[in-house]
Amino acid sequence: MRRRDDGGRERWTRAEERGFHAAYTCDHLSWRSFRGGPWFGAIPTLAAVVAATRRMRLDMLVTPVAPRSLMTR
């Protein structure tokens, strides 16, 4: 996954132009294969995709039900 200012917008636009009709992301608190690398929240990622595409359907694969407070880190 790339940040919007690092080619992310162009990547999503190109995916839609190539015929991808749906995109999914997941919202996990920990994932071994991505440990130590950048991890972007699912909702901000999907919001960025909405801004870059016109028809692509978006969804989250997993959203944990554990409560999270915006007031804590």
Side-chain angles (χ1 to χ4, degrees):
M1 183 62 61
R2 294 176 182 225
R3 292 180 188 266
R4 182 175 184 211
D5 58 350
D6 188 27
R9 182 179 182 88
E10 291 79 15
R11 181 173 282 195
W12 288 112
T13 303
R14 192 169 50 243
E16 186 176 49
E17 289 169 354
R18 291 181 179 179
F20 284 86
H21 68 277
Y24 299 88
T25 188
C26 52
D27 187 8
H28 285 320
L29 301 177
S30 173
W31 198 331
R32 288 183 204 157
S33 62
F34 291 115
R35 191 172 292 154
W39 186 258
F40 307 110
I43 293 172
T45 298
L46 293 175
V49 177
V50 166
T53 62
R54 296 176 134 197
R55 299 173 305 277
M56 194 175 287
R57 291 176 173 247
L58 308 172
D59 203 352
M60 278 187 276
L61 295 173
V62 176
T63 301
V65 295
R68 290 191 255 182
S69 172
L70 298 176
M71 302 305 289
T72 61
R73 53 183 198 114

